[in-house]
Amino acid sequence: DTGVSQDPRHKITKRGQNVTFRCDPISEHNRLYWYRQTLGQGPEFLTYFQNEAQLEKSRLLSDRFSAERPKGSFSTLEIQRTEQGDSAMYLCASSLGGGPYTDTQYFGPGTRLTVL
Amino acid sequence: QKEVEQNSGPLSVPEGAIASLNCTYSDRVSQSFFWYRQYSGKSPELIMSIYSNGDKEDGRFTAQLNKASQYVSLLIRDSQPSDSATYLCAGAAGGTSYGKLTFGQGTILTVHP
Protein backbone atom coordinates (compact mmCIF):
# COMPACT_ATOMS: atom_id res chain seq x y z
CA ASP A 1 0.00 0.00 0.00
CA THR A 2 1.51 3.28 -1.07
CA GLY A 3 -1.18 5.78 -0.08
CA VAL A 4 -2.94 7.30 2.89
CA SER A 5 -6.03 5.34 3.88
CA GLN A 6 -9.03 6.45 5.87
CA ASP A 7 -11.88 4.55 7.43
CA PRO A 8 -14.81 4.74 7.15
CA ARG A 9 -15.31 6.49 3.83
CA HIS A 10 -18.82 7.56 4.74
CA LYS A 11 -20.53 8.00 8.08
CA ILE A 12 -24.10 8.98 8.75
CA THR A 13 -25.00 9.68 12.34
CA LYS A 14 -27.66 11.35 14.39
CA ARG A 15 -27.08 14.58 16.19
CA GLY A 16 -25.63 14.01 19.64
CA GLN A 17 -23.86 10.77 18.78
CA ASN A 18 -20.09 10.29 18.97
CA VAL A 19 -18.10 9.30 15.91
CA THR A 20 -14.50 8.19 15.41
CA PHE A 21 -12.47 8.21 12.22
CA ARG A 22 -9.22 6.45 11.51
CA CYS A 23 -6.30 7.46 9.31
CA ASP A 24 -3.33 5.28 8.31
CA PRO A 25 -0.51 7.40 6.88
CA ILE A 26 2.02 6.46 4.27
CA SER A 27 4.60 4.20 5.83
CA GLU A 28 7.50 6.09 7.45
CA HIS A 29 5.76 9.46 7.23
CA ASN A 30 6.40 11.28 10.48
CA ARG A 31 3.78 13.97 10.17
CA LEU A 32 0.05 13.44 10.06
CA TYR A 33 -2.53 16.17 9.51
CA TRP A 34 -6.28 16.44 9.83
CA TYR A 35 -8.33 18.89 7.78
CA ARG A 36 -12.03 19.51 7.33
CA GLN A 37 -13.64 20.57 4.08
CA THR A 38 -17.15 21.83 3.50
CA LEU A 39 -18.81 22.23 0.13
CA GLY A 40 -17.33 25.00 -1.99
CA GLN A 41 -14.46 25.70 0.39
CA GLY A 42 -10.85 24.68 0.60
CA PRO A 43 -9.70 22.31 3.35
CA GLU A 44 -9.39 23.88 6.79
CA PHE A 45 -6.59 22.83 9.13
CA LEU A 46 -7.65 21.04 12.32
CA THR A 47 -4.57 19.55 13.93
CA TYR A 48 -1.30 17.78 13.25
CA PHE A 49 1.15 15.32 14.76
CA GLN A 50 4.87 14.85 14.57
CA ASN A 51 5.21 11.15 15.37
CA GLU A 52 2.98 10.68 18.44
CA ALA A 53 3.12 14.31 19.62
CA GLN A 54 0.21 16.60 18.78
CA LEU A 55 2.00 19.84 17.92
CA GLU A 56 -0.82 22.19 17.05
CA LYS A 57 -4.57 22.35 17.21
CA SER A 58 -6.73 24.90 15.43
CA ARG A 59 -8.38 27.53 17.59
CA LEU A 60 -11.53 26.81 15.62
CA LEU A 61 -11.60 23.27 16.96
CA SER A 62 -14.07 22.93 19.80
CA ASP A 63 -13.52 20.75 22.85
CA ARG A 64 -15.80 18.16 21.27
CA PHE A 65 -12.98 17.24 18.89
CA SER A 66 -10.05 15.14 19.98
CA ALA A 67 -7.31 13.42 18.05
CA GLU A 68 -4.54 11.07 18.94
CA ARG A 69 -1.78 9.16 17.29
CA PRO A 70 -0.61 6.39 19.59
CA LYS A 71 2.85 5.04 18.83
CA GLY A 72 3.21 7.50 15.96
CA SER A 73 1.46 5.27 13.48
CA PHE A 74 -2.27 5.55 12.69
CA SER A 75 -4.37 8.38 14.04
CA THR A 76 -7.96 8.71 15.21
CA LEU A 77 -10.19 11.76 15.22
CA GLU A 78 -13.19 11.65 17.55
CA ILE A 79 -16.12 14.03 17.54
CA GLN A 80 -18.32 13.92 20.59
CA ARG A 81 -21.96 15.04 20.69
CA THR A 82 -22.06 15.68 16.95
CA GLU A 83 -23.92 18.69 15.59
CA GLN A 84 -25.31 19.29 12.12
CA GLY A 85 -22.57 21.85 11.56
CA ASP A 86 -20.01 19.04 11.83
CA SER A 87 -21.19 17.62 8.51
CA ALA A 88 -18.18 17.81 6.21
CA MET A 89 -15.43 15.83 4.53
CA TYR A 90 -12.67 15.00 7.02
CA LEU A 91 -9.33 14.67 5.29
CA CYS A 92 -6.14 13.14 6.57
CA ALA A 93 -2.74 13.84 5.05
CA SER A 94 0.75 12.67 5.81
CA SER A 95 4.26 13.84 5.02
CA LEU A 96 7.89 13.01 5.76
CA GLY A 97 8.24 16.23 7.74
CA GLY A 98 11.78 16.91 6.64
CA GLY A 99 11.48 20.69 6.72
CA PRO A 100 9.72 23.54 4.92
CA TYR A 101 11.44 22.94 1.60
CA THR A 102 10.89 19.21 1.42
CA ASP A 103 7.61 18.67 3.23
CA THR A 104 4.87 17.56 0.86
CA GLN A 105 1.51 16.38 2.07
CA TYR A 106 -0.40 13.55 0.47
CA PHE A 107 -4.08 13.26 1.18
CA GLY A 108 -6.21 10.23 1.88
CA PRO A 109 -9.63 9.69 0.28
CA GLY A 110 -11.44 11.38 3.15
CA THR A 111 -14.35 10.45 5.41
CA ARG A 112 -17.62 12.12 4.56
CA LEU A 113 -19.67 12.77 7.69
CA THR A 114 -23.37 13.53 7.58
CA VAL A 115 -25.08 14.50 10.82
CA LEU A 116 -28.86 14.22 10.69
CA GLN B 1 -7.41 40.05 4.08
CA LYS B 2 -7.69 36.28 3.85
CA GLU B 3 -4.39 34.46 4.19
CA VAL B 4 -4.77 32.78 0.78
CA GLU B 5 -7.12 34.08 -1.90
CA GLN B 6 -7.76 32.62 -5.31
CA ASN B 7 -9.12 34.40 -8.36
CA SER B 8 -12.84 34.15 -8.63
CA GLY B 9 -14.17 31.44 -10.85
CA PRO B 10 -15.42 29.47 -12.43
CA LEU B 11 -12.94 29.51 -15.30
CA SER B 12 -13.85 28.03 -18.65
CA VAL B 13 -11.34 27.47 -21.45
CA PRO B 14 -11.46 25.57 -24.74
CA GLU B 15 -9.50 22.38 -25.20
CA GLY B 16 -5.91 23.10 -26.16
CA ALA B 17 -5.84 26.57 -24.59
CA ILE B 18 -3.77 27.80 -21.66
CA ALA B 19 -5.58 27.99 -18.35
CA SER B 20 -4.26 30.54 -15.86
CA LEU B 21 -5.04 30.21 -12.17
CA ASN B 22 -4.00 32.86 -9.68
CA CYS B 23 -3.53 33.13 -5.96
CA THR B 24 -2.43 35.86 -3.55
CA TYR B 25 -1.25 35.34 -0.01
CA SER B 26 -0.49 37.16 3.21
CA ASP B 27 2.78 37.32 5.14
CA ARG B 28 1.68 34.57 7.51
CA VAL B 29 1.82 31.85 4.87
CA SER B 30 4.78 32.98 2.83
CA GLN B 31 7.25 30.11 3.08
CA SER B 32 6.13 27.50 0.57
CA PHE B 33 3.25 27.01 -1.81
CA PHE B 34 1.35 24.14 -3.31
CA TRP B 35 -1.18 23.56 -6.04
CA TYR B 36 -3.64 20.72 -5.61
CA ARG B 37 -6.27 19.43 -8.01
CA GLN B 38 -9.53 18.10 -6.65
CA TYR B 39 -12.12 16.25 -8.69
CA SER B 40 -15.70 16.37 -7.47
CA GLY B 41 -16.18 14.10 -4.47
CA LYS B 42 -12.49 13.21 -4.31
CA SER B 43 -9.60 14.32 -2.12
CA PRO B 44 -6.94 16.86 -3.17
CA GLU B 45 -4.14 15.56 -5.38
CA LEU B 46 -0.79 17.35 -5.41
CA ILE B 47 0.21 18.93 -8.72
CA MET B 48 3.22 21.03 -7.81
CA SER B 49 5.08 22.72 -5.01
CA ILE B 50 7.15 25.90 -5.28
CA TYR B 51 9.40 27.61 -2.77
CA SER B 52 11.60 30.03 -4.72
CA ASN B 53 10.86 33.06 -6.85
CA GLY B 54 10.47 32.31 -10.53
CA ASP B 55 8.98 29.54 -12.58
CA LYS B 56 8.86 25.80 -12.06
CA GLU B 57 7.75 23.55 -14.87
CA ASP B 58 6.46 19.98 -14.79
CA GLY B 59 5.03 18.68 -18.03
CA ARG B 60 2.05 20.82 -19.03
CA PHE B 61 2.07 22.64 -15.70
CA THR B 62 4.06 25.73 -14.76
CA ALA B 63 3.95 27.29 -11.30
CA GLN B 64 5.10 30.87 -10.86
CA LEU B 65 5.99 32.54 -7.58
CA ASN B 66 6.53 36.27 -7.04
CA LYS B 67 7.30 36.92 -3.39
CA ALA B 68 7.52 40.70 -3.82
CA SER B 69 3.94 40.79 -5.09
CA GLN B 70 2.83 37.87 -2.88
CA TYR B 71 1.44 36.14 -5.89
CA VAL B 72 1.41 32.50 -7.02
CA SER B 73 0.02 31.22 -10.29
CA LEU B 74 -0.46 27.96 -12.13
CA LEU B 75 -0.49 27.72 -15.89
CA ILE B 76 -1.88 24.66 -17.62
CA ARG B 77 -0.83 24.39 -21.23
CA ASP B 78 -2.73 22.40 -23.85
CA SER B 79 -5.70 22.06 -21.49
CA GLN B 80 -7.63 18.82 -21.72
CA PRO B 81 -11.20 18.00 -20.66
CA SER B 82 -9.65 15.74 -18.00
CA ASP B 83 -8.14 18.87 -16.41
CA SER B 84 -11.66 19.98 -15.46
CA ALA B 85 -11.58 20.12 -11.66
CA THR B 86 -11.24 22.47 -8.71
CA TYR B 87 -7.73 23.82 -8.25
CA LEU B 88 -6.62 24.63 -4.74
CA CYS B 89 -3.77 26.95 -3.85
CA ALA B 90 -2.18 26.43 -0.44
CA GLY B 91 0.50 28.26 1.50
CA ALA B 92 2.53 27.23 4.49
CA ALA B 93 4.27 29.31 7.14
CA GLY B 94 7.85 28.77 8.21
CA GLY B 95 9.15 27.68 11.59
CA THR B 96 7.92 24.56 13.30
CA SER B 97 4.46 24.98 11.74
CA TYR B 98 5.92 24.61 8.27
CA GLY B 99 3.56 21.82 7.30
CA LYS B 100 0.34 23.47 8.31
CA LEU B 101 -1.35 24.38 5.04
CA THR B 102 -3.74 27.27 4.56
CA PHE B 103 -5.91 26.79 1.49
CA GLY B 104 -7.72 29.20 -0.75
CA GLN B 105 -11.34 28.58 -1.59
CA GLY B 106 -10.49 26.94 -4.91
CA THR B 107 -11.09 27.82 -8.53
CA ILE B 108 -13.33 25.60 -10.64
CA LEU B 109 -11.85 24.99 -14.09
CA THR B 110 -13.88 23.63 -16.97
CA VAL B 111 -12.16 22.65 -20.21
CA HIS B 112 -14.70 22.26 -22.99
CA PRO B 113 -14.05 20.28 -26.18
Side-chain angles (χ1 to χ4, degrees), chain A residues 28-85:
Chain A
E28 297 180 355
H29 276 194
N30 297 318
R31 286 201 168 196
L32 188 149
Y33 302 82
W34 286 99
Y35 295 85
R36 175 173 63 189
Q37 186 176 26
T38 54
L39 195 62
Q41 300 298 314
E44 174 189 33
F45 170 80
L46 295 179
T47 189
Y48 83 96
F49 295 83
Q50 170 88 26
N51 298 313
E52 66 275 10
Q54 187 173 19
L55 296 187
E56 189 170 342
K57 187 175 175 180
S58 170
R59 289 170 294 175
L60 301 175
L61 211 58
S62 79
D63 292 342
R64 297 184 296 105
F65 288 72
S66 63
E68 59 180 25
R69 190 183 182 196
K71 301 180 183 178
S73 55
F74 70 92
S75 175
T76 57
L77 177 68
E78 181 182 17
I79 308 174
Q80 296 182 327
R81 304 181 304 281
T82 53
E83 301 173 356
Q84 289 184 326

Side-chain angles (χ1 to χ4, degrees), chain A residues 31 33 35 37 40-43 45 48 50 56 59 89 91 97-109 112, chain B residues 28 31-32 34 36 38 41-44 46 49 51 67 88 93-106:
Chain A
R31 286 201 168 196
Y33 302 82
Y35 295 85
Q37 186 176 26
Q41 300 298 314
F45 170 80
Y48 83 96
Q50 170 88 26
E56 189 170 342
R59 289 170 294 175
M89 174 78 87
L91 294 163
Y101 300 109
T102 59
D103 193 68
T104 301
Q105 292 180 38
Y106 298 92
F107 283 82
R112 181 167 297 283
Chain B
R28 293 184 61 186
Q31 191 70 39
S32 50
F34 304 84
Y36 285 86
Q38 187 172 31
K42 302 295 185 182
S43 62
L46 180 70
S49 60
Y51 311 107
K67 290 194 174 184
L88 297 164
T96 55
S97 295
Y98 61 77
K100 173 186 166 186
L101 296 180
T102 300
F103 285 85
Q105 74 275 26

Side-chain angles (χ1 to χ4, degrees), chain B residues 10-57:
Chain B
L11 178 65
S12 181
V13 300
E15 184 175 357
I18 295 175
S20 177
L21 304 160
N22 304 312
C23 176
T24 57
Y25 62 89
S26 72
D27 290 338
R28 293 184 61 186
V29 291
S30 59
Q31 191 70 39
S32 50
F33 304 91
F34 304 84
W35 283 99
Y36 285 86
R37 176 175 61 196
Q38 187 172 31
Y39 292 112
S40 181
K42 302 295 185 182
S43 62
E45 172 191 10
L46 180 70
I47 299 174
M48 293 185 71
S49 60
I50 187 166
Y51 311 107
S52 303
N53 270 329
D55 296 357
K56 180 180 179 182
E57 187 174 317

